Amino acid sequence: MRHLPVIDISALRVAGGDTTNVVRLLDRACRLDGFFIVTNHGIDTQIATELENLSRTFFDLPESEKSSIAMEHAGTAWRGWFPLGGEVTSGIPDQKEGLYFGTELGSDDLRVREKWPLHGRNLFPKNPVEMKNLVLRWMNEVTLLGNDLMRGLALALGIDQDWFADNLTSDPTILFRIFTYPTYSKVAIPTSRPEWGVGEHTDYGLLTMLWQDDCGGLEVFSAGEWLTVDPLPNTFICNIGDMLERLTNGRYRSTPHRVRNLSGRNRISFPLFFDPSWNSQVVPLPIAVSDRAPESRSRWDGVEPLAWTGTYGDYLSKKVSKAFPQLFEKVIKSN
C-alpha cells in the first residue's frame, strides 16, 4: 500500500543550510501526489494540544451559545461559527461543523472600510476565552512555516527562493479553519453521502498546512487510487492548491481529497490556507510543461484552473460563495 512521502524540512529553517535533498523530495512529492507530510517544522506542538482541547470545549457548547459568533454576524469578513451541514461541497452539505478565522484587521483598514470579502475582524468565542490568543499564535507560527515551504517550492521549480514573497505572497491571504467531524455513526444531517465529512474537492490557493488529531479519516486521490492518510504525531500534512497548479502549468497538480470519520470519536482538524495576495494575478510561469500523466478523470467541480483569468480574490470569492450559498445571498450580495 502506498503512503504519502514524509519530508524532514529542517534544512529550510536554517539560513545557508543545504536544501538539496529537501528540495528534491518536495519536487517529487508535488509532481506525483500533490501531498506530503512534513517533520521538524519548528512549531511547538503543545499549542496544538491546547487548541484542540479548547476547540472541543467550544464545540460541546449548546448551539444557542455558539451562534453568538455565527458567520452571519461578521458580515463580509466571513468569519465565525457555522453549524453541522452549514458548509456545502458540490451542492451537498458537509458532515462537519466549524470556525472560520483569518488575518486580524482593524476597522480603520482600507480593505475593511471598502468591505472586501473575507477581510476584517475575527469573531472569537467568549467561552473558552483563551481561544483567541492561541488561535492568533497558531496562525502566526503556521504562516511562518508556509513561508519556509514556499521558499522550498520555489527552489524546486528552479526559480529564486524569494520569488513567491516578492511576486505573489507579499501580503498573503491567510485563512484558518477549525473543523469537527462527527463520527459516521452519529451523523445528523441526511444527505446523499452521509458517510463523508466532506466530499471530494481540491483546495483553492497555493498551499494548505493541516494539523489533525489521531482520528484519521483523510483520503487522497493519487495515481488512480484513494490513499488513506494515517495520522502521524507532530507532523503537518501539506497539499498544493488550484493556483499552484495554474502557476506551474500543471507540473504540480491540485489533488482531490475527502474526509470520512470512522474512528468512533469526533475528529478535530486545523487547516491553514497560505494563498496569493488578494488582488494578485496568478500567471503561469515560463517553466517546462508537466511530465505527469494526463488526468484520466474530470475535476470534481468541472473547473479548469489553467483556464482561469482574473485575480485570486475573484477566484476565491466564487468558490466560497458556492460553499456557503445561503450566507452569500444574505450577507455578501446585500453589501
Side-chain angles (χ1 to χ4, degrees):
M1 181 178 179
R2 290 202 310 119
H3 298 280
L4 295 181
V6 179
I7 304 176
D8 180 340
I9 63 163
S10 54
L12 292 175
R13 300 172 42 235
V14 178
D18 184 357
T19 61
T20 304
N21 188 55
V22 64
V23 165
R24 178 183 62 81
L25 293 174
L26 286 172
D27 182 61
R28 176 176 172 79
C30 290
R31 288 175 185 260
L32 296 180
D33 296 302
F35 269 79
F36 52 92
I37 298 171
V38 299
T39 63
N40 289 324
H41 42 71
I43 293 179
D44 182 0
T45 58
Q46 184 59 33
I47 306 174
T49 300
E50 294 176 13
L51 189 54
E52 179 185 332
N53 292 335
L54 293 176
S55 299
R56 293 188 186 279
T57 297
F58 173 80
F59 288 126
D60 284 341
L61 295 173
E63 286 204 2
S64 58
E65 188 169 348
K66 291 183 286 191
S67 64
S68 66
I69 58 166
M71 291 177 71
E72 62 187 63
H73 299 315
T76 55
W78 219 300
R79 313 286 174 84
W81 171 78
F82 69 86
L84 186 68
E87 187 168 0
V88 172
T89 302
S90 298
I92 301 175
D94 296 337
Q95 302 285 2
K96 71 173 188 282
E97 178 183 348
L99 283 164
Y100 268 43
F101 301 102
T103 302
E104 182 79 354
L105 299 174
S107 57
D108 59 341
D109 189 284
L110 175 65
R111 295 163 292 184
V112 179
R113 297 202 308 268
E114 294 184 351
K115 296 183 177 179
W116 288 20
L118 283 82
H119 289 74
R121 288 192 180 278
N122 291 293
L123 299 181
F124 291 105
K126 293 182 180 179
N127 178 22
V129 67
E130 303 93 341
M131 184 174 280
K132 176 179 179 179
N133 288 336
L134 272 183
V135 164
L136 293 175
R137 184 179 174 190
W138 183 260
M139 287 174 60
N140 181 65
E141 294 207 14
V142 181
T143 297
L144 294 175
L145 171 61
N147 283 311
D148 289 340
L149 288 170
M150 294 313 298
R151 285 195 297 273
L153 291 173
L155 293 172
L157 291 168
I159 57 180
D160 185 84
Q161 67 173 357
D162 295 321
W163 187 92
F164 285 100
D166 292 342
N167 295 277
L168 210 55
T169 60
S170 58
D171 181 22
T173 301
I174 301 297
L175 304 174
F176 174 51
R177 314 296 188 229
I178 298 178
F179 291 141
T180 183
Y181 297 81
T183 186
Y184 175 39
S185 62
K186 297 180 181 179
V187 166
I189 304 296
T191 74
S192 60
R193 55 170 187 241
E195 73 273 26
W196 296 106
V198 59
E200 177 182 341
H201 67 286
T202 58
D203 293 341
Y204 311 144
L206 290 174
L207 176 69
T208 303
M209 293 160 284
L210 171 71
W211 185 279
Q212 63 172 346
D213 66 11
D214 61 356
C215 289
L218 176 65
E219 298 181 8
V220 173
F221 190 81
S222 177
E225 62 178 330
W226 285 100
L227 305 179
T228 298
V229 183
D230 295 324
L232 295 177
N234 303 328
T235 64
F236 280 87
I237 300 169
C238 300
N239 64 279
I240 60 180
D242 294 347
M243 290 300 99
L244 196 54
E245 176 173 340
R246 171 170 171 74
L247 188 78
T248 63
N249 266 315
R251 174 173 165 181
Y252 295 169
R253 191 173 299 148
S254 185
T255 303
H257 49 288
R258 61 191 185 186
V259 174
R260 177 172 53 175
N261 181 16
L262 303 177
S263 68
R265 296 174 289 130
N266 286 359
R267 176 183 187 261
I268 295 284
S269 69
F270 302 152
L272 185 139
F273 304 91
F274 186 98
D275 292 348
S277 302
W278 187 260
N279 281 334
S280 61
Q281 298 273 349
V282 181
V283 179
L285 291 165
I287 59 177
V289 297
S290 173
D291 57 3
R292 290 181 60 169
E295 190 64 68
S296 60
R297 60 204 297 269
S298 59
R299 265 181 61 101
W300 65 283
D301 57 357
V303 175
E304 176 51 65
L306 271 63
W308 169 258
T309 58
T311 66
Y312 178 63
D314 291 337
Y315 187 81
L316 182 58
S317 295
K318 290 180 185 296
K319 291 288 189 178
V320 174
S321 70
K322 293 181 179 179
F324 292 94
Q326 293 181 336
L327 182 64
F328 179 76
E329 291 291 330
K330 183 177 181 179
V331 175
I332 302 299
K333 289 185 72 173
S334 65
N335 286 277

